[in-house]
Amino acid sequence: MDRFLTPHADGRPQVMGVVNVTPDSFSDGGRFVETDAACDHALALLNAGADWLDIGGESTRPGAEPVSEADELARVIPVIEAIRGARPEARLSIDTMKPGVARAAVRAGAAMWNDVNALRADGARAAAAELDCLVCLMHMQGEPRTMQADPHYQDVVTDVARMLGQQVGAVLSAGVARERVLIDPGIGFGKTLAHNLALMACLDHLTGLGFPVLFGASRKRFIQGVDESAVEASDRLGGSLAAALHAARAGCAIVRVHDVRETVQALKVQAAIAQAGGIA
Ligand code: PT1
């Protein structure tokens, strides 16, 4: 499994491109149009240099409403099958909190279960133990619909590290091999601007736990918190690149982003500079 997580030869992390399969992401042209548009987008991200694609059928953005298992399956499985048909070698991740969706996605070819709920749903750990896939455990306080109402921590860095440590322990006890586990601080998931910045400033606390770290800050609201003019998600590329470069320097294994080509280029330039510094 860990052969999937080897960094590039220049030391830069892997890049995971985001593929949202939610009706509001595309025109309301029906399921076939939705599948087609998501698959086209996925192939474009692979051409732009994505090492992974993260496929999600339920938004986990602040305020997002839950989606039924049947709807989520109907959204993501055809997209996974279409990508596998076009690019069998592509590494695919399923972004879901539901064990039933993860099971079907892995059966259809997904190599990672990315769970923003850290396998806390009923039956999730048992399902993960059965499945032959990587699992990413992310920290979230609360649930997407209400998580930004009143986030609070004693000390956000130690609280997040402790919670992830506990979830890792539970997952290992359920029978998941430690080589299959990644962790993620969950930027924007039940966190104020100060919480998000503190977590980013102390990423080495998480990388030091001994598991590969997946990091997702792309286009998130904290960027607007720093730069008030970045109101639209599409106006947050600069902040997203700054966060991805920082995560790479901190030793993260995978950065989850929307703007794959720009991120790969930024990471390559940073790695080239670091390499030149090492030789000089
Ligand atoms: C993430 C992540 C994810 N983020 C992982 N999976 C999202 N492992 C979905 C905002 O503040 O970071 N890691 N799956 C997207 N969720 C959000 C959360 C999007 C917050 C936007 C915000 O704007």
Side-chain angles (χ1 to χ4, degrees):
M1 270 296 152
D2 57 341
R3 74 202 149 87
F4 286 135
L5 295 173
T6 313
H8 292 279
D10 61 4
R12 85 198 129 84
Q14 298 188 350
V15 169
M16 172 180 272
V18 177
V19 180
N20 290 319
V21 199
T22 47
D24 55 29
S25 302
F26 301 105
S27 61
D28 55 354
R31 179 105 320 132
F32 176 75
V33 173
E34 192 179 292
T35 302
D36 228 37
C39 185
D40 285 354
H41 183 60
L43 299 183
L45 295 182
L46 290 172
N47 291 338
D51 303 294
W52 286 91
L53 296 173
D54 190 36
I55 296 143
E58 176 178 56
S59 175
T60 53
R61 235 172 253 145
E65 297 286 340
V67 170
S68 76
E69 176 157 333
D71 281 349
E72 206 179 320
L73 284 167
R75 289 176 187 178
V76 296
I77 301 303
V79 173
I80 292 174
E81 288 171 346
I83 299 168
R84 295 280 296 169
R87 298 283 293 269
E89 75 290 355
R91 277 174 287 188
L92 306 182
S93 157
I94 176 70
D95 186 347
T96 186
M97 301 190 251
K98 297 185 183 73
V101 174
R103 209 178 266 117
V106 170
R107 234 181 262 133
M112 184 189 302
W113 178 1
N114 170 27
D115 187 357
V116 302
N117 198 32
L119 301 180
R120 291 179 296 175
D122 283 348
R125 292 186 194 117
E130 278 169 34
L131 294 172
D132 180 26
C133 65
L134 298 168
V135 296
C136 179
L137 308 178
M138 197 199 75
H139 178 274
M140 168 166 65
Q141 184 174 88
E143 43 155 351
R145 201 170 53 79
T146 52
M147 64 191 177
Q148 289 306 109
D150 181 28
H152 57 278
Y153 298 88
Q154 218 163 33
D155 176 290
V156 68
V157 176
T158 51
D159 288 4
V160 166
R162 188 185 322 108
M163 180 274 189
L164 286 174
Q166 284 165 358
Q167 297 310 323
V168 167
V171 166
L172 298 183
S173 299
V176 175
R178 64 180 296 121
E179 296 73 35
R180 290 209 275 138
V181 178
L182 296 89
I183 56 174
D184 183 329
I187 298 302
F189 286 86
K191 283 139 191 139
T192 64
L193 172 61
H195 294 146
N196 287 315
L197 293 174
L199 279 169
M200 285 185 256
C202 298
L203 269 180
D204 50 322
H205 269 60
L206 291 189
T207 52
L209 293 177
F211 296 87
V213 173
L214 195 158
F215 176 85
S218 180
R219 298 187 182 178
K220 287 185 181 177
R221 205 168 297 174
F222 80 91
I223 297 167
Q224 184 187 352
V226 176
D227 172 7
E228 283 173 22
S229 71
V231 177
E232 299 296 326
S234 57
D235 277 335
R236 300 175 185 164
L237 175 58
S240 302
L241 293 173
L245 293 176
H246 172 72
R249 278 192 304 270
C252 291
I254 303 180
V255 292
R256 179 186 183 278
V257 305
H258 299 85
D259 302 287
V260 169
R261 183 170 154 65
E262 292 82 355
T263 305
V264 168
Q265 187 178 81
L267 291 168
K268 281 183 173 174
V269 169
Q270 174 166 267
I273 295 169
Q275 219 154 16
I279 293 163

